[in-house]
Amino acid sequence: MPIRTGATATTLFPLWALLGSVLASLRPDWLTPLKPAIVPLLGVVMFGMGVTLTWRQFAAVWQRPQQVGLGMVLQFGVMPLAAWVIGTALGLPAALIAGLVLVGASPGGTASNVVCYLARGDVALSITLTAASTLLAVVATPLLTWLYVGQQVPVPVWDMLLSVAKIVLLPVMLGVAVNTWVGARLAPVKGVFPLLSMAAIVLIIAIIVALNLDNIAAAGWLIVLAVVLHNAVGLTAGYGLGLLATGDLRSARTLAIEVGMQNSGLAVALAVQYFSAAAAIPGALFSIWHNLSGSALAALWSRRPLPALAAADRR
């Protein structure tokens, strides 16, 4: 993975996401006709992620069973539950709770690997966790959404399962296959893929904001608070429980980022397809906020190198 190019893109991503949101609020008529492009755009993001991975990285899941298992428990255990508790406690409408749970039930975010690098975390573990959660999400995302909000909002579990397989699994596997077969030839242009992924996510956010201007205004700061709290729970639980379970600061940083940064683009696509435009608001806001918080956390941790890494830097 071309880390440095991706790192630059990730560092600037919050700015572009904010600018895209501003554009959407000023000229929604430019973006609302692009609603059908949300799912294909997410496919581009997932393909770009796949091109940075290899089959060996997927196989590495079996070489780190304890850390990967812990990551999956935190990812799919803490985040959907936290979303439901926060949404219910704040009295959010059913559609917004469904959207928040969808975010919580989604796999690790596509930018988490680069943010992990910036934070001096364990990049290999980050990639492994992202790959594992992406594969597990094919089943986990629809089932967890049904478990938490199926009584409030009809959840078409089987249709969602098929959609996640198409939107996530197929593009990722295609990207991995391309990387395996012609990866060496693509080396000079691999730095473009993170940029394309970022551009696609920014466009998705802008489209969702344009579609939901009235709903966002009606929800006000309550949904913003819910998103901020949800992200904070993920970061805190990932770091605290990760440190408690492993005793390793580097793994704890990695788990914090992986659990706190969700594939909110997937949540947006599923919300639009199966629920409502309003249900996509939490995912759109989460896309902006988790990159802001993740980048800020990475900047903080990068100035606090781990003892082992600091010793290595001096040699």
Side-chain angles (χ1 to χ4, degrees):
M1 180 179 181
I3 292 289
R4 295 189 182 280
T5 301
T8 301
T10 301
T11 302
L12 296 176
F13 172 77
L15 172 62
W16 294 119
L18 288 171
L19 290 176
S21 300
V22 171
L23 175 63
S25 64
L26 295 175
R27 296 307 305 260
D29 54 304
W30 291 359
L31 295 160
T32 49
L34 299 180
K35 178 181 177 181
I38 291 174
V39 172
L41 284 169
L42 185 62
V44 171
V45 174
M46 301 314 297
F47 176 79
M49 174 181 157
V51 170
T52 70
L53 300 172
T54 66
W55 299 118
R56 286 184 180 181
Q57 288 163 340
F58 282 97
V61 170
W62 307 108
Q63 298 171 5
R64 312 181 77 168
Q66 294 180 336
Q67 289 178 316
V68 172
L70 175 62
M72 296 306 97
V73 168
L74 293 173
Q75 181 81 51
F76 294 111
V78 171
M79 292 302 281
L81 175 60
W84 181 81
V85 169
I86 291 168
T88 303
L90 293 178
L92 295 179
L96 293 181
I97 293 177
L100 200 63
V101 169
L102 261 177
V103 173
S106 293
T110 53
S112 61
N113 307 144
V114 178
V115 173
C116 181
Y117 167 79
L118 293 173
R120 299 197 174 200
D122 187 335
V123 177
L125 176 61
S126 175
I127 292 173
T128 300
L129 290 172
T130 302
S133 66
T134 298
L135 292 176
L136 188 56
V138 175
V139 175
T141 300
L143 289 180
L144 287 168
T145 305
W146 170 79
L147 175 65
Y148 284 104
V149 300
Q151 301 301 318
Q152 297 173 288
V153 180
V155 179
V157 177
W158 179 249
D159 290 341
M160 280 182 64
L161 192 151
L162 292 177
S163 290
V164 175
K166 293 176 183 177
I167 296 171
V168 175
L169 193 60
L170 289 181
V172 169
M173 293 296 101
L174 180 60
V176 174
V178 168
N179 190 33
T180 301
W181 294 330
V182 293
R185 297 180 184 177
L186 289 176
V189 295
K190 273 190 179 181
V192 174
F193 286 104
L195 297 175
L196 286 176
S197 294
M198 293 294 171
I201 295 172
V202 168
L203 184 53
I204 289 172
I205 293 170
I207 295 170
I208 292 302
V209 170
L211 290 168
N212 285 283
L213 284 177
D214 293 338
N215 291 325
I216 292 173
W221 288 102
L222 205 57
I223 183 58
V224 175
L225 175 62
V227 166
V228 171
L229 289 175
H230 192 204
N231 174 242
V233 168
L235 294 172
T236 303
Y239 186 84
L241 297 177
L243 184 60
L244 184 65
T246 67
D248 177 47
L249 287 171
R250 196 176 185 208
S251 295
R253 290 183 180 185
T254 305
L255 286 165
I257 292 166
E258 283 298 318
V259 176
M261 296 189 69
Q262 301 290 90
N263 189 339
S264 45
L266 174 64
V268 165
L270 293 175
V272 170
Q273 189 168 355
Y274 291 108
F275 300 119
S276 64
I281 295 174
L285 294 176
F286 202 96
S287 293
I288 299 171
W289 177 253
H290 80 155
N291 281 281
L292 287 169
S293 64
S295 299
L297 198 57
L300 175 66
W301 279 339
S302 68
R303 297 187 182 94
R304 297 181 180 181
L306 301 171
L309 295 178
D313 290 341
R314 289 195 296 268
R315 285 200 294 269

